[in-house]
Amino acid sequence: MTADPRFFDLITPSLLLDEAKMMRNIDRLADHAQGLGVSLRPHLKTAKSVDVARRLLPAGDGPATVSTLAEAETFSTAGVRDILYAVGIAPQKLPRVVALRASGCDLSVILDNVVQAEEVAKASREAGVPIPVLIEIDCDGHRGGLRPDDPLLINIGRILHQGGAELRGVMTHAGESYTVVGNEAHAKFAEIERAAAVDAAKALRAADLPCPVVSVGSTPTAHAARDLTGVTELRAGVYVFFDLVMAGIGVCQKEDIALSVLTTVIGHQTDRDWTMVDAGWMAMSRDRGTADQAVDQGYGVVCDEAGTILPDLILSSANQEHGIITRRSGATSPMPDLPVGTRLRILPNHACATAAQHSHFTVIPAEPYSALIEWPRFGGW
Amino acid sequence: MTADPRFFDLITPSLLLDEAKMMRNIDRLADHAQGLGVSLRPHLKTAKSVDVARRLLPAGDGPATVSTLAEAETFSTAGVRDILYAVGIAPQKLPRVVALRASGCDLSVILDNVVQAEEVAKASREAGVPIPVLIEIDCDGHRGGLRPDDPLLINIGRILHQGGAELRGVMTHAGESYTVVGNEAHAKFAEIERAAAVDAAKALRAADLPCPVVSVGSTPTAHAARDLTGVTELRAGVYVFFDLVMAGIGVCQKEDIALSVLTTVIGHQTDRDWTMVDAGWMAMSRDRGTADQAVDQGYGVVCDEAGTILPDLILSSANQEHGIITRRSGATSPMPDLPVGTRLRILPNHACATAAQHSHFTVIPAEPYSALIEWPRFGGW
């Protein structure tokens, strides 16, 4: 492999982003959503980057999903004006929601219980501004939300609608779709999402409550959905970069993964067939999302500096700033020669978790041989 | 429990640091090292905070250990002048090492192979400044380093000593001490560290090579060491805060843990006995270091807002910004009433990993009822 001169001065570990792969991933889901006749509301929690958001949101100002109010505030300042904050609202956070709405951002929140509904209604009345709400629906027992036939759904709808908030609709997320493999299995979860959300919307409407928005999605179900009748919008996040967890359940190929960590070989323990690198869990995250999959990728799949996968090599263990590369058990290919100073790339298990360990992306532009670019990331709450 | 008014305006999740507990942990190991007659060189990678470093380093200017050159640069700027960079040096990083030394910081590096030794010698000659080196010794097969009887040790020593670098000594770290429980077992690993480092030092000296520094340590062995004859300095890091992994192997009590994550209850799934909070893995990290211990603490142990442990409650699963609190399996105590809006604290599995997810500590000062203080943290490489 020939060393890429653009990497000479890069500090390792560094988070690399392949812009061409990212753009293909973005276009793939945008096309699919268009074919299904639904709006796409990308989740910005994976990238936490204004530069990536500009490429994810062709209209520039939304719609978008976020996982923290810090994201809502940063993206709103950058011009995103239609944002769903998709974590159940803590009452203490309502002043920030009101402030964001007052600044001109159409921020909506989610909730699934009476205390939250009463607090949102109260905050709406006190601010004189109806806070828009999607009621969270539980479609697969994964996390929060109400079952579509739970009588509480109507109670909460009334508290919001009659109490001064804006009942904007329902939303659900089939987190369990990550645990099954293949398009057919993901399509079934897409239908589970659709059915739960549409049933909840029907229940609200039957009680004379408004429900204009019916929002569903996860990266596996969004790509596999075949019919979204009754759904108005689709949400997904990790698809912008993809990762080994998504490759492991068949949503993408490993070659589609746009994110990797550049690292340098710092030593060997030859009797143990170990190659030591300067990317440990601080650079990769502690995420072991492939541990329960058919192929356990350790802390990541090893590529050469150009991004070509090296057969059977994984980052099999990680300390804070040390990684140990070994051959996968049962590997037949010989250990390649990787002298001290060699640069390698590691594909991550989980793009959201790995990206969160870094302050910026080092972008390899889609245009061949162009200079690397830095795109800042942010964190916090 | 009475709500602490100092927490009213805190965003959740927030990283809390109990200063009184931290100072007790700092004093405990400082006293032990003094009793053993060795110098203590605290590892600053856990805190990555100048404010914490000031409390860890009574003399202010060192000695200290770091895991990245970004730490070396930041702490050097803050006045720490004696720093060991304890990750095998990548040749590409030597210009930054030379620059740091030129700025007046006595930065030393570690290595365990001929390529690194030749590169360090070359960089020393080119800069006209001998770069000080500790040769890394492998005492327990955990990671990098040379066995004390490996003939390469002398070769590398000669390359450094005759090539223009400064052969300052040897260092080792018994990472395997984390896998055994109790003071007796840790004391055995402390002796394994001591014996390996002292043997390596003897081998170098027998070959007429200098070896003034003999450096050993890990948090478990540092606390358990009974006799460090021949050792000149002790290193440890996580002891400043402690965590559930250290409690699980008996180095501390859970009540000694100085770090916790403040979180807010956002909902319940009563049929599953779940309490949902706004601290997921982004706030806790993906570290599951207690998974292999006798007691698996999930993503952390749940305390009330004041920091008192709630019996049998753990953060049993985590998504990016959602945590699910459940009772430990086999728990007999009833699920306490934790209404939406309740503030709780979660003790972390691994202080280094959890702290790394946050931009600052919110410090609860040792002085009762004093106002909270913010201490910034930093990251990167």
Side-chain angles (χ1 to χ4, degrees):
Chain A
M1 57 192 119
T2 315
D4 187 332
R6 295 177 298 175
F7 294 159
F8 281 172
D9 293 331
L10 272 189
I11 288 171
T12 58
S14 273
L15 183 66
L16 299 182
L17 172 55
D18 183 316
E19 189 189 15
K21 290 186 179 183
M22 177 184 80
M23 291 313 301
R24 282 200 293 276
N25 297 339
I26 289 174
D27 291 346
R28 176 181 163 201
L29 189 59
D31 291 349
H32 187 59
Q34 194 170 34
L36 290 164
V38 293
S39 165
L40 182 61
R41 181 183 286 279
H43 208 314
L44 305 181
K45 72 175 179 143
T46 309
K48 302 205 187 209
S49 149
V50 170
D51 298 282
V52 174
R54 289 205 181 104
R55 284 151 181 91
L56 268 170
L57 310 175
D61 59 351
T65 312
V66 299
S67 69
T68 65
L69 288 179
E71 291 167 54
E73 288 158 354
T74 303
F75 289 120
S76 172
T77 301
V80 183
R81 305 267 95 181
D82 173 5
I83 299 179
L84 172 66
Y85 169 45
V87 175
I89 186 72
Q92 292 92 331
K93 289 177 179 156
L94 285 165
R96 288 169 74 191
V97 171
V98 168
L100 265 163
R101 289 198 60 80
S103 78
C105 177
D106 182 11
L107 179 71
S108 48
V109 302
I110 73 167
L111 54 79
D112 70 355
N113 61 67
V114 167
V115 174
Q116 288 173 307
E118 285 171 346
E119 293 282 349
V120 170
K122 185 172 152 227
S124 297
R125 290 192 305 272
E126 286 176 2
V129 181
I131 298 170
V133 176
L134 303 189
I135 301 177
E136 186 176 8
I137 305 301
D138 174 17
C139 67
D140 64 354
H142 177 70
R143 197 159 66 190
L146 296 166
R147 296 294 307 173
D149 59 356
D150 191 323
L152 262 181
L153 177 64
I154 310 301
N155 293 359
I156 288 171
R158 290 203 175 115
I159 292 168
L160 294 167
H161 185 60
Q162 295 163 4
E166 178 192 337
L167 176 56
R168 187 172 279 182
V170 292
M171 64 84 75
T172 193
H173 165 73
E176 292 296 306
S177 68
Y178 285 57
T179 65
V180 297
V181 180
N183 188 271
E184 199 64 37
H186 297 144
K188 280 185 193 150
F189 269 102
E191 176 55 22
I192 287 170
E193 278 184 339
R194 190 199 70 81
V198 168
D199 285 354
K202 281 183 187 158
L204 288 170
R205 290 171 190 146
D208 279 331
L209 289 165
C211 187
V213 171
V214 180
S215 177
V216 302
S218 72
T219 285
T221 57
H223 289 79
R226 293 162 192 187
D227 170 26
L228 289 181
T229 303
V231 165
T232 65
E233 70 176 29
L234 195 57
R235 304 183 324 278
V238 79
Y239 75 99
V240 60
F241 301 143
F242 280 132
D243 54 27
L244 293 169
V245 166
M246 287 297 119
I249 60 170
V251 183
C252 67
Q253 301 296 313
K254 287 198 281 289
E255 289 72 14
D256 297 325
I257 299 172
L259 213 60
S260 61
V261 172
L262 187 74
T263 186
T264 304
V265 173
I266 58 172
H268 303 85
Q269 292 287 24
T270 36
D271 54 333
R272 280 167 265 171
D273 230 9
W274 289 0
T275 298
M276 322 292 295
V277 295
D278 67 357
W281 60 252
M282 189 63 83
M284 299 306 303
S285 91
R286 267 290 193 200
D287 198 286
R288 289 280 293 102
T290 57
D292 298 325
Q293 294 192 334
V295 180
D296 183 346
Q297 307 287 13
Y299 284 89
V301 162
V302 180
C303 308
D304 67 17
E305 188 194 71
T308 304
I309 292 172
L310 297 175
D312 290 328
L313 283 198
I314 59 171
L315 192 71
S316 57
S317 73
N319 296 136
Q320 186 157 338
E321 299 293 349
H322 296 83
I324 301 181
I325 291 175
T326 61
R327 279 182 294 182
R328 203 188 292 287
S329 64
T332 49
S333 32
M335 189 74 189
D337 187 34
L338 301 172
V340 167
T342 304
R343 295 275 168 108
L344 299 167
R345 289 196 213 178
I346 317 288
L347 301 178
N349 281 323
H350 187 171
C352 308
T354 299
Q357 304 295 108
H358 297 264
S359 63
H360 61 277
F361 301 100
T362 298
V363 182
I364 305 167
E367 189 68 36
Y369 310 113
S370 347
L372 303 176
I373 310 167
E374 251 188 44
W375 288 351
R377 298 185 80 265
F378 63 91
W381 290 271
Chain B
M1 57 191 118
T2 316
D4 187 331
R6 295 177 297 176
F7 294 160
F8 282 170
D9 294 330
L10 271 191
I11 287 171
T12 57
S14 276
L15 183 67
L16 299 182
L17 172 54
D18 183 317
E19 189 188 14
K21 290 187 180 182
M22 178 184 79
M23 291 312 301
R24 280 200 294 276
N25 297 339
I26 290 174
D27 291 345
R28 177 181 162 200
L29 189 59
D31 290 349
H32 187 58
Q34 192 168 33
L36 290 163
V38 293
S39 164
L40 182 61
R41 180 182 287 278
H43 208 314
L44 305 180
K45 72 173 179 140
T46 309
K48 300 205 186 208
S49 151
V50 169
D51 298 283
V52 174
R54 289 206 181 103
R55 284 150 182 90
L56 268 170
L57 310 175
D61 59 352
T65 312
V66 299
S67 68
T68 66
L69 287 180
E71 290 166 55
E73 288 158 354
T74 303
F75 289 120
S76 173
T77 302
V80 184
R81 306 267 96 183
D82 173 4
I83 299 179
L84 172 66
Y85 168 45
V87 176
I89 187 73
Q92 292 92 331
K93 289 177 179 156
L94 285 165
R96 288 169 74 192
V97 171
V98 169
L100 264 164
R101 288 199 60 81
S103 78
C105 176
D106 182 12
L107 180 71
S108 48
V109 303
I110 73 167
L111 54 79
D112 68 356
N113 59 69
V114 167
V115 175
Q116 288 172 307
E118 286 172 344
E119 294 281 350
V120 170
K122 187 172 152 225
S124 297
R125 290 192 305 272
E126 286 177 1
V129 180
I131 298 170
V133 176
L134 303 190
I135 302 178
E136 187 176 7
I137 304 302
D138 175 16
C139 65
D140 63 353
H142 176 69
R143 197 159 68 189
L146 296 166
R147 297 292 310 172
D149 58 356
D150 190 324
L152 262 181
L153 177 65
I154 309 300
N155 294 358
I156 288 172
R158 291 206 175 112
I159 292 169
L160 294 167
H161 185 61
Q162 295 163 5
E166 177 193 338
L167 176 55
R168 187 171 280 183
V170 293
M171 62 85 74
T172 194
H173 165 73
E176 293 297 305
S177 67
Y178 285 58
T179 65
V180 298
V181 179
N183 189 271
E184 199 63 36
H186 298 144
K188 280 186 191 148
F189 270 102
E191 176 55 23
I192 287 170
E193 280 183 339
R194 190 199 69 80
V198 169
D199 284 354
K202 281 183 189 158
L204 288 169
R205 291 172 191 146
D208 279 331
L209 289 165
C211 187
V213 171
V214 180
S215 176
V216 302
S218 73
T219 287
T221 56
H223 289 79
R226 293 163 193 187
D227 170 26
L228 289 180
T229 303
V231 166
T232 65
E233 67 175 30
L234 195 56
R235 304 182 325 278
V238 77
Y239 75 98
V240 58
F241 302 144
F242 282 130
D243 54 28
L244 292 169
V245 166
M246 286 299 118
I249 61 171
V251 183
C252 66
Q253 300 297 313
K254 287 199 280 291
E255 289 71 15
D256 297 325
I257 300 173
L259 212 61
S260 62
V261 172
L262 187 72
T263 185
T264 304
V265 174
I266 58 172
H268 304 85
Q269 292 286 26
T270 36
D271 54 333
R272 281 167 265 172
D273 230 9
W274 288 359
T275 298
M276 323 291 295
V277 294
D278 66 358
W281 60 252
M282 188 64 82
M284 299 306 302
S285 91
R286 267 292 192 199
D287 198 285
R288 289 282 290 103
T290 57
D292 299 324
Q293 294 192 333
V295 179
D296 183 347
Q297 308 287 15
Y299 284 88
V301 163
V302 181
C303 307
D304 67 18
E305 189 194 70
T308 304
I309 292 172
L310 298 174
D312 290 328
L313 282 198
I314 58 171
L315 193 70
S316 57
S317 74
N319 296 136
Q320 186 158 340
E321 299 292 350
H322 295 82
I324 300 181
I325 291 175
T326 61
R327 278 181 296 181
R328 204 187 293 284
S329 64
T332 48
S333 32
M335 188 73 188
D337 187 33
L338 300 172
V340 167
T342 303
R343 296 274 168 106
L344 300 167
R345 289 196 214 177
I346 317 287
L347 301 178
N349 281 323
H350 187 170
C352 307
T354 299
Q357 303 295 108
H358 296 264
S359 62
H360 62 275
F361 300 99
T362 297
V363 182
I364 305 167
E367 187 69 35
Y369 311 113
S370 349
L372 304 176
I373 309 167
E374 252 186 44
W375 287 351
R377 298 185 80 265
F378 62 92
W381 290 271

